[in-house]
Amino acid sequence: MVVDYSGPNLAKEMHVGHLRSTIIGDAVVRVLESLGQTVIRQNHVGDWGTQFGMLIGELEAQLQHGDQAELALQDLEHFYQRAKKHFDEDPAFADLARQYVVRLQAGDEQVLRLWHKFREVSLAHCEEIYHLLNVSLTPEHIRGESFYNDDLPVLVEELKQQGLAQEDQGAQVVFLQELADKNGNPSPVIVQKKDGGYLYSTSDLAAVRFRIGTLGAQRIMVFSDARQALHMQQVYTVARKAGFAPENVRLEHCPFGTMMGADGKPFKTRTGGTVKLAELLDEAVERATAVIQGSGELSAEEKVEVARKVGIGAVKYADLSKTRTLDYVFNWDQMLSFEGNTGPYLQYAYTRIRSIFRKAGVEPTELSSTLTLVETQEKALALKLMQFGEIVEQVAQDAMPHLLCTYLYDLASLFMTFYEACPILKEGVDPATRNSRLLLSHQVAQTLRSGLDLLGIEVMEKM
RNA sequence: GCGCCCGUAGCUCAGCCGGAUAGAGCAACGGCCUUCUAAGCCGUGGGUCGGGGGUUCGAGUCCCUCCGGGCGCGCCA
């Protein structure tokens, strides 16, 4: 199967808008792979389009001033703003930019070289973010819009020959009766602009065809914003009609809601700007550092590592634990709290168990396999442990990681209850009971670790 | 205008193919540390599941309608 997720626009720096697709998609991919599925990741990056004419023009202008490309592109956001300003204020530059778009489309070598340079720097930035986020995407998963460029004229021609696409007001349009409204008005999908250019509908269609025809996908999952629901429906409907997608191939759009600020409006900086992902993640680690400051268990070096895992884990868990399709409110204090359904709470539950083994001086492998369930807390915990498999199956089926989060939280809560009620290493606990409870605890730790790993969240031995 | 999504406790959210007195966490209040991490645990109060119809033995869940909010709808992605 093919899973399409993350897909940032390379023209700018990654921002919070890319977060949900990236971490939800990655969690689902991990879950699918854990079940033995063959998953082909596709990072459909935005590396093509009119804005690149402007960016390449700006890059060339700066290179002519003797600047190094890496340096000029060090701050992509800033570079973009500069290019935009240049474009808006200098008509000559605007013309140049438009020419570059044409030359880029035509495969002009010099322009392509600059485009490659830009793309390379921007992708390197994405790699950094993925690494920091502990997301499994690598360069080999990149398959941007540009990849489909050559196929677009071919595809449109096919649609025309099939009688699906027809000219309307100068553009090539597919009218879908399947998606008509109550009044019978068909839903229009433009596959080629009046000026001959193509749109994302076209490259998305090409992507569907490539994924099925070349990659052999039996199931395609695309993680993108819920606002693209109509667009995805259109693409899939056209793909079916055009014969790109046979009946037996599952075409799924896995939409997600918007990340909101405390004010209930889309998450922005205090000044109303877009929040850069790099800054958000830095802040997460910073805040986590403050949170674990009081820990007496950690050395200074360990704190750095733990803060990273806790901070990043908190951001990811906060997102993953909410129903995917709904908007959710981003709240630092809540996600970094050790109370409630949070990343830190689960990581803490894990370290608490590891601490027991350290204290006991016992390795899980040394335990006898005899499990004796007597107390109600022990039984409840064991019962919960057995449900892990079916929850994972369900997440794979529905692409809903929050089901796994809810499960892990329930499991951790049951463990805490068990831990309070059932002494393990205390005096007076007979060896058999001690062994059984250690075994049970170990199973919980393993399950927490596996579950968090499927979510792309790391654990630690101490915190 | 047309279409999609949402409305569950003060706040943030769960509630599998409809099934028993609707669940958590924050917040509020009250308990539990001389021994396994109190970053925890136990308990109390708090909801006409937006309103109204309908289907059903049974509806937070399915259907219709109304109210309220968000988003989308031919040449951006």
Side-chain angles (χ1 to χ4, degrees), chain A residues 326-341:
Chain A
L326 269 38
D327 292 347
Y328 89 94
V329 179
F330 189 89
N331 183 318
W332 283 120
D333 294 332
Q334 193 170 299
M335 72 179 73
L336 282 162
S337 170
F338 283 83
E339 294 166 341
N341 189 9

Side-chain angles (χ1 to χ4, degrees), chain A residues 182-309:
Chain A
K182 291 293 178 195
N183 304 317
N185 303 311
S187 182
V189 185
I190 297 179
V191 292
Q192 185 173 23
K193 296 192 287 183
K194 186 196 263 180
D195 68 5
Y198 304 97
L199 296 94
Y200 74 141
S201 294
T202 328
S203 53
D204 278 359
L205 276 168
V208 170
R209 182 159 74 166
F210 173 77
R211 289 163 184 180
I212 295 170
T214 304
L215 299 180
Q218 293 294 305
R219 182 184 184 188
I220 297 176
M221 305 171 87
V222 175
F223 288 86
S224 69
D225 196 287
R227 284 169 292 194
Q228 291 185 20
L230 176 59
H231 161 74
M232 290 307 300
Q233 214 179 347
Q234 290 176 326
V235 168
Y236 287 158
T237 304
V238 174
R240 294 279 189 210
K241 293 186 77 170
F244 300 160
E247 202 61 39
N248 63 334
V249 176
R250 291 168 65 178
L251 301 178
E252 301 174 29
H253 177 221
C254 305
F256 49 83
T258 307
M259 208 163 122
M260 306 298 229
D263 55 2
K265 289 186 282 193
F267 192 66
K268 292 280 170 64
T269 60
R270 293 140 290 271
T271 52
T274 307
V275 179
K276 293 180 186 178
L277 212 36
E279 289 176 3
L280 181 93
L281 298 178
D282 284 347
E283 182 168 353
V285 175
E286 211 173 287
R287 285 176 180 264
T289 303
V291 167
I292 63 164
Q293 206 44 251
S295 171
E297 311 258 334
L298 303 169
S299 68
E301 303 82 67
E302 287 170 332
K303 278 183 181 172
V304 173
E305 181 70 4
V306 170
R308 185 181 62 75
K309 290 179 177 178

Side-chain angles (χ1 to χ4, degrees), chain A residues 20-39:
Chain A
R20 302 207 74 189
S21 175
T22 304
I23 68 186
I24 297 171
D26 202 54
V28 172
V29 163
R30 288 166 187 258
V31 167
L32 290 167
E33 285 185 335
S34 79
L35 293 172
Q37 302 276 1
T38 303
V39 178

Side-chain angles (χ1 to χ4, degrees), chain A residues 18 25 45 59 62 84 94 107 125 131 148 171 185 213 229 257 270 273-274 314 319 357 379 392 394 407 421 426 445:
Chain A
H18 303 119
V45 301
L59 181 56
Q62 294 196 21
K84 182 88 168 65
H125 159 72
H131 181 72
Y148 303 102
N185 303 311
R270 293 140 290 271
T274 307
D319 194 322
F357 280 90
K379 290 174 183 167
V392 173
Q394 203 180 346
Y407 169 81
K426 292 185 181 180

Side-chain angles (χ1 to χ4, degrees), chain A residues 6 25 77 102 107 152 154 157-158 184 191 240 244 251 291 294 306 308 316 349-350 355 372 393 423 434 445 455:
Chain A
S6 195
E77 204 61 28
V102 177
L152 304 185
V154 181
E157 189 54 40
E158 272 186 51
V191 292
R240 294 279 189 210
F244 300 160
L251 301 178
V291 167
V306 170
R308 185 181 62 75
K316 294 180 79 170
Y350 179 80
S355 167
T372 314
E393 294 272 358
R434 179 175 183 270
L455 297 172

Side-chain angles (χ1 to χ4, degrees), chain A residues 41-169:
Chain A
R41 294 163 175 77
Q42 292 284 280
N43 192 355
H44 195 82
V45 301
D47 62 356
W48 203 250
T50 50
Q51 59 199 330
F52 282 89
M54 174 181 91
L55 295 165
I56 291 165
E58 182 65 24
L59 181 56
E60 174 148 71
Q62 294 196 21
L63 289 180
Q64 279 171 358
H65 278 80
D67 294 350
Q68 293 294 307
E70 285 77 5
L71 201 64
L73 298 172
Q74 203 169 34
D75 185 340
L76 276 178
E77 204 61 28
H78 183 240
F79 183 86
Y80 182 90
Q81 304 303 342
R82 246 178 105 167
K84 182 88 168 65
K85 192 169 180 234
H86 201 170
F87 184 87
D88 291 340
E89 294 175 358
D90 183 349
F93 177 74
D95 277 343
L96 189 71
R98 290 190 197 95
Q99 283 172 38
Y100 277 162
V101 176
V102 177
R103 286 170 65 187
L104 183 63
Q105 303 271 5
D108 179 294
E109 254 182 60
Q110 188 204 346
V111 177
L112 269 178
R113 200 158 41 240
L114 289 165
W115 172 76
H116 274 297
K117 184 47 122 182
F118 186 93
R119 191 173 180 274
E120 185 185 302
V121 173
S122 187
L123 283 173
H125 159 72
C126 293
E127 293 305 319
E128 271 181 54
I129 299 282
Y130 293 148
H131 181 72
L132 181 57
L133 262 181
N134 188 32
V135 159
S136 64
L137 285 168
T138 63
E140 68 189 273
H141 304 128
I142 303 286
R143 188 157 267 129
E145 292 172 348
S146 64
F147 176 81
Y148 303 102
N149 193 45
D150 294 344
D151 191 39
L152 304 185
V154 181
L155 189 144
V156 170
E157 189 54 40
E158 272 186 51
L159 292 178
K160 282 157 78 172
Q161 279 176 11
Q162 291 191 41
L164 285 172
Q166 51 187 274
E167 187 174 327
D168 190 87
Q169 296 172 42

